[in-house]
Amino acid sequence: MTTPREDGRADDELRPIKITRGWLDHAAGSVLIEFGRTRVLCAASASEGVPRWRKGSGLGWVTAEYAMLPAATNTRSDRESVKGRIGGRTHEISRLIGRSLRAVIDYQALGENTIQLDCDVLQADGGTRTAAITGAYVALADAVAHLRSTGALPAKDAASPLTGSVAAVSVGIIDGVPRLDLPYVEDVRAETDMNIVMTGDGKFVEVQGTAEGAAFDRAELDALLALGEKGCADLTRLQQEALGR
Amino acid sequence: MTTPREDGRADDELRPIKITRGWLDHAAGSVLIEFGRTRVLCAASASEGVPRWRKGSGLGWVTAEYAMLPAATNTRSDRESVKGRIGGRTHEISRLIGRSLRAVIDYQALGENTIQLDCDVLQADGGTRTAAITGAYVALADAVAHLRSTGALPAKDAASPLTGSVAAVSVGIIDGVPRLDLPYVEDVRAETDMNIVMTGDGKFVEVQGTAEGAAFDRAELDALLALGEKGCADLTRLQQEALGR
Amino acid sequence: MTTPREDGRADDELRPIKITRGWLDHAAGSVLIEFGRTRVLCAASASEGVPRWRKGSGLGWVTAEYAMLPAATNTRSDRESVKGRIGGRTHEISRLIGRSLRAVIDYQALGENTIQLDCDVLQADGGTRTAAITGAYVALADAVAHLRSTGALPAKDAASPLTGSVAAVSVGIIDGVPRLDLPYVEDVRAETDMNIVMTGDGKFVEVQGTAEGAAFDRAELDALLALGEKGCADLTRLQQEALGR
Amino acid sequence: MTTPREDGRADDELRPIKITRGWLDHAAGSVLIEFGRTRVLCAASASEGVPRWRKGSGLGWVTAEYAMLPAATNTRSDRESVKGRIGGRTHEISRLIGRSLRAVIDYQALGENTIQLDCDVLQADGGTRTAAITGAYVALADAVAHLRSTGALPAKDAASPLTGSVAAVSVGIIDGVPRLDLPYVEDVRAETDMNIVMTGDGKFVEVQGTAEGAAFDRAELDALLALGEKGCADLTRLQQEALGR
Amino acid sequence: MTTPREDGRADDELRPIKITRGWLDHAAGSVLIEFGRTRVLCAASASEGVPRWRKGSGLGWVTAEYAMLPAATNTRSDRESVKGRIGGRTHEISRLIGRSLRAVIDYQALGENTIQLDCDVLQADGGTRTAAITGAYVALADAVAHLRSTGALPAKDAASPLTGSVAAVSVGIIDGVPRLDLPYVEDVRAETDMNIVMTGDGKFVEVQGTAEGAAFDRAELDALLALGEKGCADLTRLQQEALGR
Amino acid sequence: MTTPREDGRADDELRPIKITRGWLDHAAGSVLIEFGRTRVLCAASASEGVPRWRKGSGLGWVTAEYAMLPAATNTRSDRESVKGRIGGRTHEISRLIGRSLRAVIDYQALGENTIQLDCDVLQADGGTRTAAITGAYVALADAVAHLRSTGALPAKDAASPLTGSVAAVSVGIIDGVPRLDLPYVEDVRAETDMNIVMTGDGKFVEVQGTAEGAAFDRAELDALLALGEKGCADLTRLQQEALGR
């Protein structure tokens, strides 16, 4: 018999998810997303032109930066701007978010425009990178709609730069039990930890599994993948609802 | 005859001020403060010990860091962590906030503890530094109360580390007219721009006036000081209300 | 019908693997590992003591740094030392190598000692991170043996700090066909790219799959996992042979 | 009854001021300015063109950098070039000097040229930023005259890029007494410290007052402003004498 | 009577020198050079164009970067990329190598092309900078031949960009005896240490002598110069052999 | 027949040398040295203790930092503090000055004290590094005398930490003629350029010769060495006069 989760959720249940669109006045799209107590502000800013290595290609670009406010964590963490360098973890997550969003972008339809996603963690309680991806997609969708309405991007009847949706969730094995959407207290105890990024039509974009303690076997891997598929499907539905579709 | 303000305010009237306490779960004190559309998240984190140059003195320390999220401004600004260095403006404001708060701190009563204020601008529409100071004071007051209740600081009957309150406001001359609490559209047009930091009992902590265009004479300076005194008194009252006093 | 591989290999066949032990005179363990034309120099340096956050725990530490010589790639790349900052990709791979090796370390048996793995890519032709992990394990095994023989680590009859072996390989889908151990020409064409790190007894340490183009479905994921299991088993055998077991 | 000043000066008296023009051979204008033992080398270098954000505007630019030699202070301070970053204080003062000089510049008359002021403190004994501003103005005046004589700037009968002069002085309250032009020994003891920058015709460019200990009231502020007006008027006269007007 | 050398060499004898050409597949020229246990990988990469300050001159450029792998030395040294800055010694040697090679370059014949030499020390046992120069020349010669054969540089009958050859060796005084080509154990004991760079026709390019302990007199200087001339002549012969001339 | 020098000097004649002691109030020793229009401020600051790697050895340390003010050169150069990194040339010269001074230091007699030399070029007209060494020696001698008089170093009858004096001069071949102490106009035209550092009793500390254009032969080298010996002897006499010996 296994211990129930501290917050009373079923093993395959997401934390309460809240998606607030239009949280900022300036950005083309902005979302405050909450996975329980994890709170990430996702902003999508558009600009004409693309990075130098892409100029003249006719193709657009989407990139992302992830960061955490110093007081977001249990114990205050130092600012990377003050330290003068970006840490490895920050780099890694920024790259992951960028790759995840680019999986649903049609560069041709975007034209030589860049959309920059900023995902700033205001409060951290586990799963910040998956919340960031899930929220960033909604901000991106809003930005694309906004840019098409203003004529900055080709309008409604042309192909959309968005070819689908993307969402992400963490899964892990705690005391031998696979669980969905880990808060910090579960995250630190997990033997295996996996982040899964999927498109709205159920395909994988990223699968990143790490044995924190003992290595895991194929059966455990399969259980985690199934749980991730379930969680991403739930998040996809919540994204669609938030977008009023 | 002068043009009325775009937002319809009287020349000596503050924008709508909103102070939300306890916006974060982890920090000892935290406040989301809004001056109109300017939105700053102020968090106070306490830690035992003081910087090296102060060790063994029996005295505490209070310091502050100010930063702006990339999407806070009209046009996205680059992250200082990515650029690898803190800009001059950020340094200057961080130092100003720290000095302002230290003006109402009794280092002796604080003991060898450090309180770090983080003021992160989530959205910028002029007056971010004055909103930061005004909000940071409330976060600091909450942190001190919290630390005294947990015994981390000497309790209720001892002297409080807080010797008073502090608030700040911007004033400026636009088209020859002195005005209080400038939003961005007024700020960029101001001939003279002044930030005033005052204690709750009406004394000056900082006075920083800058001629953006033509230099200003003593009469103009006096008018701005009077306006600042009025604005700080109003903010002090709002801080006290927010703190339930 | 699919095109055969440019180098004539079967789809589930590794490139020629060469493991040269003792390539350096100073390091406790050192290996030049070659996956075809990919050539990585792996050195394991031991030092007494552990990082500050681990002091007094009685536990050891293993960490890794990955880097690429400027002329290792097709087109010369700039030095990160000259640029003054480590890039995101370098950070990410260094962290991956460190985690992978720590999966087979018994910190207790290591005592408060640190082993630092340096993986420097002398020539790059795809799969540098998997070659680095595979070679670093052999260097680590040599370093542990060396340290036990000199008395720097507890000797033969005590528990070994190594609880198993670890190897890594890349797999990917090219033109719809899953293939093992991708050289650069295949890597750039892969629709999906996955790095798999496994222990010698067939368990997973890391699974990192990325859709470079279209997202991938569960069947494709399963095929890649099977291929990775096969490749890691082959590499484990080659590691054991190189170590004379 | 108050204690007399250590150096015997009246409370409203400047230290001996010495302005040596043409101290360097290369710069368009250069001045060694001394406020007592404080010694600052101010050099004005002209170059064609303006920063990128100003190109094509037809307007010029004036900017400044302040720094201190390591041995300038009582105890040697580390070089910012060696530390790899500019400190907050340096940034703040550089920005102040630049703003102060720009207050007397007609950008139109300057054309798309940049004048860079370098203010290097060779010896520090309080008031380095005010000495820097006061000396930099003289170097700037010399540079403008030089550039007009060589035809690099429009000649004598056109409007001068200089619309006036600027000088600066520190004032403070020590043991309750307002005093002018504080040396280091007074500076560290001051309860309130203010830097005042004024044009030659008696208008304010910058007013920066800081309560170092207790906050100050309006009467004290007025006394300091009066003292600053007196000091700036004296410095303006000395600048004019040095320039042979 | 003096002690014989630890490795049995005569005082004017080089260590075993090994020059392996074509060690890398991508670089235009590459050499692994060994001076005893000192092992340096030298790669020459060519690119069209020259640094900005040289554009439009019709002249080429040759530059060099030197670095050491962390595990190259007896005790592991930290990576300069991780430290975020290049050390003084690295800078100095990179500049020396660049200057040495430019002494035998005809910029006109090179045209507006840049050749970048990367000298990475894989293992260090004294004399790494002289091995780097000696090996870099061979890599450079191979790169020039390669570029001429591909038409990237003017072909065989035009003037060669190489006007001669260059080699370098260290000499020093140990226990009063001048010796050639010092390994680490002699280097640390040397009273005087000199690096000599010469062209193939016996002229000096660089002479850098340093008194590590006592200053040296003119007679000692002359003895060291003679020894250096002998060593460079030997190395020139070995370079020519390696190049098959 | 050769052209005479622009400033009318004989080929073996120094520029006018001026050594002003005690130029700063705070440093233990300070000297403004002038080689013609080259002007370097040399300051020696003493502190108790030595760098970490030397602690407990009973030995002292002497180190140096060289820098150039932005306006020192013909065309303004950027600040290294603003660029955020020390350039290769600065590193190289700082190291040279440090080594040169350490050649006349008895570490034992210095005890565990550090003397830091700061050599800041106020105006540059060739030979800044040799002026820096020559002036730094005088500042160092003054600092040692001062420290012995205050008891910070062992007093008069103990062995002095200074075992001799050191001076430096540049020599070069211009239009085939060897010349002493090159100003900027000669320096840029020199075919060969050599810096020579010697002790007061005529021994070599450093010899650094570089072929800027064509390589140089042994006869030319001998002529330059003779000229350097003459120049250093002259400078030694001037140093002794300045020190009142």
Side-chain angles (χ1 to χ4, degrees):
Chain A
M1 207 206 75
T2 65
T3 1
R5 300 178 84 164
E6 287 201 17
D7 54 12
R9 276 187 287 151
D11 290 330
D12 67 348
E13 190 183 347
L14 294 171
R15 287 178 284 181
I17 308 294
K18 193 167 159 198
I19 298 175
T20 309
R21 289 165 63 202
W23 208 79
L24 295 173
D25 294 321
H26 304 309
S30 69
V31 160
L32 181 71
I33 190 162
E34 297 168 74
F35 276 33
R37 306 208 304 178
T38 287
R39 230 180 280 174
V40 185
L41 178 54
C42 305
S45 307
S47 57
E48 282 180 50
V50 285
R52 200 162 24 168
W53 50 269
R54 214 174 170 82
K55 271 191 187 139
S57 65
L59 304 175
W61 188 238
V62 171
T63 183
E65 284 174 9
Y66 166 97
M68 225 186 247
L69 292 196
T73 43
N74 228 311
T75 305
R76 184 183 183 275
S77 49
D78 289 339
R79 278 175 202 274
E80 294 185 322
S81 59
V82 170
K83 287 192 282 186
R85 47 172 85 189
I86 296 284
R89 182 182 173 278
T90 298
H91 260 308
E92 204 168 308
I93 298 180
S94 294
R95 288 158 53 91
L96 170 65
I97 300 171
R99 281 199 312 270
S100 297
L101 295 171
R102 288 193 292 271
V104 293
I105 286 290
D106 177 344
Y107 293 133
Q108 197 86 48
L110 188 53
E112 286 205 13
N113 296 290
T114 295
I115 301 181
Q116 164 89 40
L117 273 299
D118 286 292
C119 300
D120 287 90
V121 179
L122 305 186
Q123 185 159 283
D125 185 27
T128 61
R129 81 188 70 187
T130 53
I133 292 167
T134 306
Y137 165 71
V138 180
L140 179 60
D142 272 344
V144 165
H146 174 73
L147 295 168
R148 300 183 95 193
S149 74
T150 64
L153 283 183
K156 297 268 154 160
D157 48 332
S160 168
L162 274 175
T163 62
S165 73
V166 69
V169 78
S170 71
V171 290
I173 300 178
I174 291 97
D175 300 333
V177 182
R179 283 183 174 161
L180 182 67
D181 186 21
L182 314 184
Y184 182 71
V185 288
E186 290 183 349
D187 194 33
V188 294
R189 288 178 47 222
E191 293 108 49
T192 294
D193 184 15
M194 184 172 271
N195 291 296
I196 291 173
V197 186
M198 298 184 75
T199 57
D201 60 353
K203 291 194 165 177
F204 294 91
V205 173
E206 289 268 342
V207 173
Q208 296 197 340
T210 300
E212 299 290 342
F216 51 96
D217 62 25
R218 183 61 198 269
E220 290 168 314
L221 176 52
D222 285 344
L224 289 172
L225 289 169
L227 213 48
E229 291 179 87
K230 198 262 179 194
C232 285
D234 289 350
L235 287 166
T236 295
R237 206 181 48 247
L238 293 167
Q239 288 173 322
Q240 297 305 325
E241 282 173 23
L243 286 165
R245 292 173 188 168
Chain B
M1 208 207 75
T2 65
T3 2
R5 301 179 84 165
E6 288 200 19
D7 55 10
R9 274 187 290 151
D11 290 330
D12 68 346
E13 191 184 346
L14 293 171
R15 287 178 282 181
I17 308 295
K18 192 164 159 201
I19 298 175
T20 309
R21 290 164 63 200
W23 208 79
L24 296 173
D25 295 320
H26 304 310
S30 67
V31 159
L32 181 71
I33 190 162
E34 297 167 74
F35 276 33
R37 306 207 305 178
T38 288
R39 228 179 281 173
V40 185
L41 179 53
C42 307
S45 307
S47 58
E48 281 181 52
V50 285
R52 199 162 27 168
W53 50 270
R54 212 172 171 83
K55 270 189 188 140
S57 65
L59 305 174
W61 188 238
V62 170
T63 183
E65 284 175 9
Y66 166 97
M68 223 185 250
L69 292 197
T73 44
N74 229 311
T75 305
R76 184 181 183 277
S77 49
D78 290 338
R79 277 175 205 274
E80 295 186 320
S81 59
V82 170
K83 288 192 282 186
R85 49 173 83 190
I86 295 284
R89 182 182 172 278
T90 298
H91 259 308
E92 204 167 310
I93 299 179
S94 294
R95 288 158 54 92
L96 170 64
I97 301 171
R99 281 199 310 271
S100 297
L101 295 172
R102 288 194 292 271
V104 293
I105 286 290
D106 176 344
Y107 294 134
Q108 197 87 47
L110 188 53
E112 287 206 12
N113 296 290
T114 295
I115 300 180
Q116 164 88 43
L117 273 300
D118 286 291
C119 300
D120 286 90
V121 179
L122 304 186
Q123 184 159 283
D125 185 28
T128 60
R129 80 189 70 186
T130 53
I133 292 168
T134 306
Y137 165 71
V138 180
L140 179 60
D142 272 343
V144 165
H146 173 73
L147 295 168
R148 300 183 96 192
S149 74
T150 64
L153 283 183
K156 296 270 154 162
D157 48 333
S160 168
L162 275 175
T163 62
S165 74
V166 70
V169 79
S170 71
V171 290
I173 299 178
I174 289 98
D175 300 334
V177 182
R179 283 182 175 162
L180 181 68
D181 188 19
L182 314 183
Y184 182 72
V185 290
E186 291 183 350
D187 193 34
V188 293
R189 289 179 46 224
E191 294 108 49
T192 294
D193 184 15
M194 183 171 271
N195 290 295
I196 292 173
V197 186
M198 298 184 76
T199 57
D201 59 353
K203 292 194 164 176
F204 294 92
V205 172
E206 287 270 342
V207 173
Q208 295 197 341
T210 298
E212 299 290 344
F216 51 96
D217 62 25
R218 183 60 197 268
E220 290 169 315
L221 176 52
D222 286 344
L224 289 172
L225 289 169
L227 213 48
E229 290 179 88
K230 198 265 180 192
C232 285
D234 288 351
L235 287 166
T236 296
R237 206 182 48 249
L238 293 166
Q239 288 173 322
Q240 297 305 324
E241 281 173 24
L243 286 165
R245 292 173 186 167
Chain C
M1 205 206 76
T2 66
T3 2
R5 302 178 83 164
E6 288 200 17
D7 54 10
R9 275 186 288 152
D11 290 331
D12 68 348
E13 190 183 347
L14 294 171
R15 288 179 281 181
I17 307 295
K18 193 164 158 201
I19 299 175
T20 309
R21 289 164 63 201
W23 208 78
L24 295 173
D25 294 322
H26 304 310
S30 68
V31 159
L32 181 71
I33 190 161
E34 296 167 75
F35 275 34
R37 304 208 306 178
T38 288
R39 228 180 282 172
V40 185
L41 179 54
C42 306
S45 306
S47 58
E48 281 181 50
V50 285
R52 200 163 25 169
W53 49 270
R54 214 174 170 83
K55 268 186 190 143
S57 65
L59 305 175
W61 189 239
V62 170
T63 183
E65 284 175 9
Y66 166 96
M68 225 186 249
L69 292 197
T73 44
N74 230 311
T75 305
R76 184 182 183 276
S77 49
D78 290 338
R79 278 176 202 274
E80 295 186 319
S81 59
V82 170
K83 287 192 282 186
R85 46 173 85 188
I86 296 285
R89 182 182 172 278
T90 299
H91 260 308
E92 204 167 309
I93 299 179
S94 294
R95 287 158 54 92
L96 170 64
I97 300 171
R99 281 198 311 270
S100 298
L101 295 172
R102 287 194 292 272
V104 293
I105 285 290
D106 176 344
Y107 294 134
Q108 197 87 46
L110 187 53
E112 288 206 11
N113 296 291
T114 295
I115 300 180
Q116 164 87 41
L117 274 299
D118 287 292
C119 299
D120 286 89
V121 180
L122 305 186
Q123 185 160 282
D125 185 28
T128 61
R129 81 189 70 187
T130 53
I133 292 167
T134 307
Y137 165 72
V138 180
L140 179 59
D142 272 344
V144 165
H146 174 73
L147 295 168
R148 299 183 97 193
S149 75
T150 64
L153 285 182
K156 296 270 153 163
D157 49 332
S160 169
L162 275 174
T163 62
S165 73
V166 69
V169 79
S170 70
V171 291
I173 300 178
I174 290 97
D175 300 333
V177 183
R179 283 182 175 161
L180 182 67
D181 187 19
L182 313 184
Y184 182 71
V185 289
E186 291 183 350
D187 193 33
V188 293
R189 288 179 47 222
E191 294 107 49
T192 293
D193 184 16
M194 184 172 271
N195 290 295
I196 292 173
V197 186
M198 297 184 76
T199 56
D201 59 353
K203 292 195 164 175
F204 294 91
V205 173
E206 288 269 342
V207 173
Q208 295 197 340
T210 300
E212 299 288 345
F216 51 97
D217 63 25
R218 183 60 199 268
E220 290 169 315
L221 176 52
D222 285 343
L224 289 172
L225 289 169
L227 213 48
E229 290 180 87
K230 199 264 180 192
C232 285
D234 289 350
L235 287 166
T236 296
R237 206 181 48 248
L238 293 166
Q239 288 173 323
Q240 297 304 325
E241 282 172 23
L243 286 166
R245 292 172 187 168
Chain D
M1 208 206 74
T2 65
T3 3
R5 299 178 85 164
E6 286 201 18
D7 55 11
R9 274 187 288 152
D11 290 331
D12 67 348
E13 190 183 346
L14 294 170
R15 287 178 284 180
I17 308 295
K18 195 167 158 197
I19 298 176
T20 309
R21 289 164 63 200
W23 208 79
L24 295 173
D25 294 320
H26 303 310
S30 69
V31 159
L32 181 71
I33 190 162
E34 297 167 75
F35 275 35
R37 305 208 304 179
T38 287
R39 231 180 278 175
V40 185
L41 179 55
C42 306
S45 306
S47 58
E48 282 180 51
V50 285
R52 200 160 26 165
W53 50 270
R54 212 173 171 83
K55 270 190 187 140
S57 66
L59 304 175
W61 189 238
V62 170
T63 183
E65 284 176 9
Y66 166 97
M68 225 187 249
L69 293 197
T73 43
N74 228 311
T75 305
R76 184 182 182 276
S77 48
D78 289 339
R79 278 176 203 273
E80 294 185 321
S81 59
V82 170
K83 287 191 283 187
R85 47 173 85 189
I86 296 285
R89 183 183 172 278
T90 298
H91 259 308
E92 203 167 311
I93 299 179
S94 294
R95 287 158 55 90
L96 170 65
I97 299 171
R99 281 199 310 270
S100 297
L101 295 172
R102 288 193 293 270
V104 293
I105 285 291
D106 177 343
Y107 293 134
Q108 196 87 49
L110 187 54
E112 286 207 13
N113 296 290
T114 295
I115 300 181
Q116 164 87 42
L117 273 299
D118 287 292
C119 300
D120 286 272
V121 179
L122 305 186
Q123 185 158 284
D125 186 27
T128 60
R129 81 188 69 185
T130 53
I133 292 168
T134 305
Y137 165 70
V138 180
L140 178 60
D142 272 343
V144 165
H146 174 73
L147 295 168
R148 301 184 94 193
S149 74
T150 64
L153 283 183
K156 296 269 153 161
D157 47 333
S160 169
L162 275 175
T163 62
S165 73
V166 68
V169 78
S170 71
V171 291
I173 299 178
I174 291 98
D175 300 333
V177 183
R179 282 181 175 163
L180 182 67
D181 187 20
L182 314 184
Y184 182 72
V185 288
E186 291 182 350
D187 194 34
V188 294
R189 288 177 48 222
E191 294 109 47
T192 294
D193 184 15
M194 183 171 271
N195 290 295
I196 291 173
V197 186
M198 298 183 75
T199 57
D201 59 354
K203 291 195 164 176
F204 294 92
V205 173
E206 288 269 341
V207 173
Q208 295 197 341
T210 299
E212 299 289 344
F216 51 97
D217 61 26
R218 183 62 198 268
E220 289 168 316
L221 176 52
D222 286 343
L224 288 172
L225 289 170
L227 213 48
E229 291 179 86
K230 198 263 179 192
C232 285
D234 289 350
L235 287 167
T236 296
R237 206 181 47 249
L238 293 166
Q239 287 173 323
Q240 297 305 325
E241 282 173 23
L243 285 165
R245 293 173 188 167
Chain E
M1 208 205 74
T2 65
T3 2
R5 300 178 85 165
E6 286 200 18
D7 54 12
R9 276 187 288 150
D11 290 331
D12 67 349
E13 191 183 346
L14 294 171
R15 288 179 283 182
I17 308 296
K18 194 166 159 199
I19 299 175
T20 309
R21 289 164 63 201
W23 207 79
L24 295 173
D25 294 320
H26 304 310
S30 69
V31 159
L32 182 70
I33 190 163
E34 297 167 74
F35 276 34
R37 306 208 305 178
T38 288
R39 231 179 279 174
V40 185
L41 179 54
C42 305
S45 307
S47 58
E48 282 181 50
V50 284
R52 199 162 25 167
W53 50 271
R54 213 175 171 84
K55 269 188 188 142
S57 65
L59 305 175
W61 189 239
V62 170
T63 183
E65 284 175 10
Y66 165 97
M68 225 186 248
L69 293 196
T73 43
N74 228 311
T75 305
R76 184 183 184 275
S77 49
D78 290 339
R79 278 176 202 274
E80 294 185 321
S81 58
V82 170
K83 287 192 283 185
R85 47 173 85 190
I86 296 284
R89 182 182 172 278
T90 298
H91 260 308
E92 204 167 309
I93 298 179
S94 293
R95 287 158 55 90
L96 171 64
I97 300 171
R99 281 199 311 270
S100 297
L101 295 172
R102 288 194 292 271
V104 293
I105 286 290
D106 177 344
Y107 294 133
Q108 196 87 47
L110 188 53
E112 287 206 12
N113 296 291
T114 295
I115 300 180
Q116 164 88 40
L117 274 299
D118 287 292
C119 300
D120 286 90
V121 179
L122 305 185
Q123 185 158 283
D125 185 28
T128 61
R129 81 188 70 186
T130 53
I133 292 167
T134 305
Y137 165 71
V138 180
L140 179 60
D142 271 344
V144 165
H146 174 73
L147 294 168
R148 300 183 94 194
S149 74
T150 64
L153 284 182
K156 295 268 154 162
D157 48 332
S160 168
L162 274 175
T163 62
S165 73
V166 69
V169 78
S170 72
V171 290
I173 300 178
I174 290 96
D175 300 334
V177 182
R179 284 182 174 161
L180 182 68
D181 187 20
L182 314 184
Y184 182 72
V185 288
E186 291 183 350
D187 193 34
V188 294
R189 288 179 47 223
E191 294 109 47
T192 294
D193 184 15
M194 184 171 270
N195 290 296
I196 291 173
V197 186
M198 298 184 76
T199 57
D201 60 352
K203 291 195 164 176
F204 294 91
V205 173
E206 288 268 343
V207 173
Q208 296 197 340
T210 299
E212 299 290 342
F216 51 97
D217 62 25
R218 183 60 199 267
E220 289 168 316
L221 175 53
D222 286 343
L224 288 172
L225 289 170
L227 212 48
E229 291 179 86
K230 199 261 179 195
C232 284
D234 289 350
L235 287 166
T236 295
R237 206 180 49 248
L238 293 167
Q239 288 174 322
Q240 296 305 324
E241 283 173 21
L243 286 166
R245 293 175 187 165
Chain F
M1 207 207 76
T2 65
T3 3
R5 302 178 84 165
E6 288 200 17
D7 54 10
R9 275 187 289 150
D11 291 330
D12 68 347
E13 192 183 346
L14 294 171
R15 287 179 282 180
I17 307 296
K18 193 165 158 199
I19 298 174
T20 309
R21 291 163 63 200
W23 207 79
L24 295 173
D25 294 322
H26 303 310
S30 68
V31 159
L32 182 71
I33 190 162
E34 297 167 74
F35 276 34
R37 305 207 305 177
T38 287
R39 230 179 280 173
V40 185
L41 179 54
C42 306
S45 306
S47 58
E48 282 181 51
V50 284
R52 200 162 26 168
W53 50 270
R54 214 174 169 83
K55 268 188 189 143
S57 65
L59 305 175
W61 188 239
V62 171
T63 183
E65 284 176 9
Y66 166 97
M68 225 187 248
L69 293 196
T73 44
N74 230 311
T75 305
R76 183 181 183 276
S77 49
D78 289 339
R79 278 175 203 274
E80 295 186 320
S81 59
V82 169
K83 287 193 282 186
R85 47 173 84 190
I86 295 284
R89 182 182 173 278
T90 298
H91 260 308
E92 203 167 311
I93 299 179
S94 293
R95 287 158 54 92
L96 170 64
I97 300 171
R99 282 199 310 271
S100 297
L101 295 172
R102 288 194 292 272
V104 293
I105 285 290
D106 177 344
Y107 294 133
Q108 196 87 48
L110 187 53
E112 287 205 12
N113 296 290
T114 295
I115 300 180
Q116 164 88 42
L117 273 299
D118 287 291
C119 300
D120 287 89
V121 180
L122 305 186
Q123 185 158 281
D125 185 28
T128 60
R129 80 188 71 187
T130 53
I133 292 168
T134 306
Y137 165 70
V138 180
L140 179 60
D142 272 344
V144 164
H146 173 74
L147 295 168
R148 300 184 95 193
S149 75
T150 64
L153 283 182
K156 295 270 153 162
D157 48 334
S160 168
L162 275 174
T163 62
S165 73
V166 68
V169 79
S170 71
V171 291
I173 299 178
I174 289 98
D175 300 333
V177 183
R179 282 181 175 164
L180 182 67
D181 187 19
L182 312 184
Y184 182 71
V185 288
E186 291 183 350
D187 194 32
V188 293
R189 289 179 45 223
E191 294 108 49
T192 293
D193 184 16
M194 184 172 270
N195 290 295
I196 292 173
V197 186
M198 298 185 75
T199 56
D201 60 353
K203 292 195 163 173
F204 294 91
V205 173
E206 288 269 342
V207 173
Q208 295 197 341
T210 299
E212 300 288 344
F216 52 96
D217 63 23
R218 183 60 198 268
E220 290 169 315
L221 175 53
D222 285 344
L224 289 173
L225 290 170
L227 213 48
E229 290 180 87
K230 198 265 179 193
C232 284
D234 289 350
L235 287 166
T236 296
R237 206 180 50 248
L238 293 166
Q239 288 174 322
Q240 296 306 323
E241 282 173 23
L243 286 165
R245 293 173 186 165

